[in-house]
């Protein structure tokens, strides 16, 4: 592979895959973890602020806002699916809420990362403005996180109400 002015080209493919592998090992989706409903808003808010700062650094013009809206929408759809595949349970005795990520949820995240990496490499070759594409993919993250968390919250709340009723 050719060397790029910022380093070898292959690093732009390897680094995201290594990060995903590390996250998958750390998170272990097959293990149930406690779910704190009151804290679900923190991560999406953090990413929203991060994305807003990134977009403010290079604000879009005209159709660029449509790309951002489309990115949010796609992220929201992926997040809804990811939230639906997350298993939520309430212990009837302790009322402790737990969540267990689905392997499908991790596949969706890995797919988005690979898509972003591939489109970044091929963006110019398919006639897509790299800044608009980058902004859309960036905007998809808080959309995905927020909607997944809302879906999980609503299901957990329903389960808690049902547990209190019994």
């Amino acid at each position: 592979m050719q060397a790029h002015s910022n380093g070898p080209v292959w690093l732009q493919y390897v680094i995201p895959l290594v990060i995903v592998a590390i996250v998958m090992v750390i998170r272990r989706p097959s293990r149930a973890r406690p779910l704190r409903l009151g804290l679900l808003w923190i991560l999406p808010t953090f990413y929203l602020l991060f994305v807003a700062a990134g977009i403010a650094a290079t604000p879009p013009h005209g159709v660029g806002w449509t790309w951002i809206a489309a990115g949010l929408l796609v992220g929201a759809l992926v997040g809804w699916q990811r939230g639906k595949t997350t298993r939520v349970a309430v212990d009837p005795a302790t009322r402790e809420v737990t969540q267990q990520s689905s392997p499908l949820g991790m596949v969706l995240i890995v797919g988005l990362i690979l898509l972003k990496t591939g489109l970044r490499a091929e963006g110019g070759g398919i006639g897509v403005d790299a800044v608009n594409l980058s902004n859309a993919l960036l905007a998809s993250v808080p959309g995905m996180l927020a909607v997944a968390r809302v879906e999980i919250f609503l299901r957990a709340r329903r389960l808690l109400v049902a547990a209190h009723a019994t």
Side-chain angles (χ1 to χ4, degrees), residues 1-13 120-121:
M1 299 211 143
Q2 294 178 317
H4 192 269
S5 61
N6 294 333
V9 172
W10 60 271
L11 280 178
Q12 71 180 350
Y13 299 104
R120 182 177 0 144

Side-chain angles (χ1 to χ4, degrees), residues 93-156:
T94 64
R95 307 285 197 264
E96 180 185 36
V97 183
T98 59
Q99 71 175 350
Q100 185 175 358
S101 297
S102 155
L104 177 61
M106 287 304 286
V107 168
L108 290 171
I109 292 171
V110 170
L112 278 177
I113 291 169
L114 292 175
L115 176 67
K116 181 174 178 15
T117 302
L119 288 176
R120 182 177 0 144
E122 300 295 329
I126 59 173
V128 174
D129 179 15
V131 172
N132 285 338
L133 179 62
S134 178
N135 283 343
L137 291 170
L138 197 60
S140 71
V141 174
M144 178 183 66
L145 290 173
V147 172
R149 301 275 174 126
V150 166
E151 169 67 24
I152 291 167
F153 175 83
L154 292 174
R155 283 192 298 123

